[in-house]
Amino acid sequence: MEKLRLDPRVFKVPIDKMRAGYYSDKYFTRLVEVLKCANKSTRVLYQFFPRRDATIVGIDEALAILRFGTGYYSDERRAKRLFEEILEVEKQINHAAWDMDREALVELSSWKWDLKMKLNDLWQDRWEELDVEALYDGDEARDMEPIMTVEGDPRYFGYLETILLGVIARASSTATAVKSVVKAARGKEILFFSARFDHFWTQATDGYAALKAGAFGVSTDANADYWGVESMGTIPHALIAVYGGDTAQAALEFDKYIDSKVNRIVLVDWNNDVIGTTYDVVAKAYTALTGREFTLGQTDPSPVIGTGKGRVWGVRFDTSGSLRDKSVVPKDRSSLGVCPELVWRAREEFDKNGMHDLKIIVSGGFTAEKIDLFEKLEVPADVYGVGSSLLKDKLDFTADIVEVDGRPCAKVGRGKGDLSRLSRVESDYWNDNKKRGVEHGS
């Protein structure tokens, strides 16, 4: 498959705050301050690399930051005053939004954009003076292998090091964790259920990273934002609770009101009896569809199994790791939670009663190691839902100057690496997709 880069406008880069050094470590803003005051013009080669093997994502967002952030303000004192005014107006907008004061919102928003345009008029863009080479999002990289190089005058981009490392580290950490469970699943689908375990601001980056690493689906619209795909989900425990713990009734109500394009995936662990609850869900779905009674072992359940309205695509097992499902024979701790025996027993029961096409989705405490165990044991799970474990392992990335004015110059123990896998990033790289007839989200 031909590799492409995302248009920098896809990313919601806070341009004014970024250019002001709002998100940059002070030692990097002061680096630039010293170089500007000393009128020190140099051309350096920055080299970015991971501190262990990784699936690399965040390159495209880093390029967007470089595109919008490489340069300087022609009048820095005036730019500083304008930026401080923008921050103050944004605070007033937040208050007006809280009060739903339409008149104030219109006036303040207009004022804010007047200030932003004045600030932008002071910006001297130097993006085209950079030479950038990089891997593509989704590529694998070895420990210490260069994933991106930026060559140019550090007065124009040196202050961005914090932000560049941060977006690559965050996205690559998520992608590397997702890739490990994708590999463990041996081709079975992975649902990315990590949104609830971190701040909502990270969802777009995490979802994009998960999809680049091979996840089948994500759970929020923000997760799907950069790719323009649809988010996925199941019938939640909260809906079951509102219907008094009646999973089958909650499933019927969900089916009644939710778009038919959404696969009906029912959580069936509310009563700690996934097999019995599944039978109840199927029976009531059958009666609702046909008006006839459902007799287990005699009635053909196929009319209500599959995709679309009135049908159950799959059931999700999310049994707590401190509980043993009713169908599991107690032995030891291996009998708790969503264990291999539970899935085996359920699959055998479902198949015995004609539910061969009913998918089993498992979730709750799944890691790459647990998925690998399930696959080694040939546990008949169809889909794995994975959440908090995908956000626990963090990767470190580093950036070093390794050349100054074409000559080697690096701290002891560092040096210019093998750059042979890197691809040149053209100054208008986002137009490559248009040249190739490929649009965003396709």
Side-chain angles (χ1 to χ4, degrees):
M1 182 182 293
E2 191 172 23
K3 294 180 179 179
L4 303 171
R5 301 195 189 278
L6 288 181
D7 189 309
R9 291 165 291 193
V10 168
F11 302 98
K12 297 169 179 63
V13 177
I15 296 174
D16 300 325
K17 289 182 178 179
M18 183 186 64
R19 289 173 176 174
Y22 190 79
Y23 297 110
S24 296
D25 289 315
K26 279 299 177 187
Y27 41 86
F28 292 126
T29 60
R30 288 168 181 158
L31 155 73
V32 172
E33 183 179 356
V34 169
L35 295 178
K36 286 179 178 177
C37 291
N39 198 27
K40 178 70 171 174
S41 176
T42 55
R43 189 166 181 84
V44 304
L45 180 68
Y46 259 98
Q47 180 174 273
F48 294 74
F49 57 90
R51 305 307 298 269
R52 61 183 174 88
D53 295 357
T55 300
I56 304 301
V57 179
I59 295 291
D60 288 357
E61 188 167 7
L63 293 177
I65 289 166
L66 282 167
R67 170 62 190 89
F68 294 123
T70 300
Y72 64 95
Y73 286 116
S74 58
D75 185 340
E76 293 193 352
R77 288 186 179 180
R78 184 163 181 246
K80 187 173 187 294
R81 288 195 301 270
L82 287 168
F83 177 66
E84 289 172 350
E85 279 192 75
I86 290 170
L87 291 182
E88 181 57 36
V89 173
E90 285 180 342
K91 290 178 184 177
Q92 294 179 43
I93 289 173
N94 287 341
H95 284 281
W98 178 268
D99 296 329
M100 296 304 289
D101 185 338
R102 178 188 293 270
E103 184 177 341
L105 282 169
V106 171
E107 182 180 340
L108 289 167
S109 296
S110 177
W111 182 17
K112 172 185 171 181
W113 278 100
D114 283 345
L115 292 170
K116 288 169 74 73
M117 296 305 291
K118 289 177 182 177
L119 182 59
N120 191 65
D121 287 342
L122 299 176
W123 183 251
Q124 305 298 306
D125 187 87
R126 290 295 182 267
W127 160 250
E128 293 196 359
E129 295 181 13
L130 295 185
D131 286 325
V132 182
E133 295 187 346
L135 295 179
Y136 285 84
D137 280 344
D139 283 347
E140 302 287 328
R142 306 290 293 177
D143 179 22
M144 303 289 284
E145 178 185 358
I147 60 157
M148 182 172 74
T149 60
V150 182
E151 186 175 1
D153 191 328
R155 291 180 299 176
Y156 305 145
F157 71 93
Y159 75 102
L160 296 172
E161 183 173 334
T162 305
I163 314 173
L164 297 173
L165 288 170
V167 298
I168 295 172
R170 175 73 196 200
S172 296
S173 295
T174 301
T176 301
V178 171
K179 180 61 69 106
S180 70
V181 298
V182 168
K183 288 179 178 177
R186 295 159 172 76
K188 291 183 180 177
E189 294 170 351
I190 296 291
L191 297 180
F192 182 74
F193 285 165
S194 294
R196 74 188 69 179
F197 301 106
D198 214 332
H199 198 287
F200 63 86
W201 280 349
T202 67
Q203 288 184 21
T205 293
D206 286 341
Y208 171 65
L211 290 167
K212 289 298 290 187
F216 170 70
V218 293
S219 63
T220 74
D221 291 342
N223 280 157
D225 186 47
Y226 293 166
W227 272 27
V229 298
E230 284 194 38
S231 53
M232 302 176 64
T234 65
I235 294 175
H237 286 124
L239 185 62
I240 299 168
V242 170
Y243 283 94
D246 188 336
T247 301
Q249 186 60 40
L252 289 174
E253 296 299 320
F254 184 96
D255 181 65
K256 187 186 299 181
Y257 298 111
I258 299 300
D259 194 296
S260 61
K261 293 184 297 183
V262 176
N263 284 337
R264 276 59 174 150
I265 302 174
V266 186
L267 269 165
V268 289
D269 59 276
W270 180 271
N271 293 317
N272 207 35
D273 179 14
V274 300
I275 296 174
T277 300
T278 297
Y279 287 158
D280 189 39
V281 168
V282 170
K284 289 181 179 175
Y286 184 87
T287 299
L289 181 69
T290 67
R292 299 191 298 272
E293 289 297 315
F294 179 88
T295 303
L296 188 66
Q298 297 180 24
T299 306
D300 177 14
S302 62
V304 292
I305 304 296
T307 60
K309 213 167 187 63
R311 310 179 107 199
V312 181
W313 185 81
V315 288
R316 178 177 158 205
F317 301 172
D318 194 48
T319 308
S320 168
S322 62
L323 297 175
R324 175 183 59 84
D325 186 88
K326 291 178 181 179
S327 65
V328 176
V329 177
K331 289 182 291 188
D332 50 33
R333 292 194 62 81
S334 67
S335 302
L336 302 177
V338 181
C339 60
E341 181 186 347
L342 173 60
V343 183
W344 271 112
R345 285 182 179 274
R347 184 75 274 164
E348 289 174 354
E349 277 288 318
F350 297 163
D351 290 353
K352 182 176 69 177
N353 289 289
M355 302 176 193
H356 307 278
D357 295 329
L358 183 67
K359 306 296 183 184
I360 296 177
I361 298 90
V362 293
S363 61
F366 275 84
T367 62
E369 292 74 23
K370 184 170 181 178
I371 293 173
D372 185 61
L373 174 63
F374 268 50
E375 290 304 301
K376 285 179 178 176
L377 295 175
E378 299 181 346
V379 177
D382 296 295
V383 181
Y384 293 99
V386 190
S388 62
S389 68
L390 298 177
L391 301 182
K392 291 179 179 178
D393 195 12
K394 302 300 181 186
L395 291 172
D396 291 342
F397 282 75
T398 299
D400 286 327
I401 291 176
V402 294
E403 285 184 357
V404 177
D405 293 328
R407 298 186 303 274
C409 183
K411 65 183 287 188
V412 173
R414 302 281 170 79
K416 187 175 180 180
D418 179 4
L419 312 183
S420 61
R421 293 184 61 218
L422 304 184
S423 298
R424 178 174 174 77
V425 179
E426 301 295 340
S427 60
D428 64 343
Y429 67 89
W430 55 91
N431 287 322
D432 287 350
N433 295 358
K434 296 177 183 177
K435 295 171 187 173
R436 301 172 191 176
V438 179
E439 295 297 329
H440 166 60
S442 62

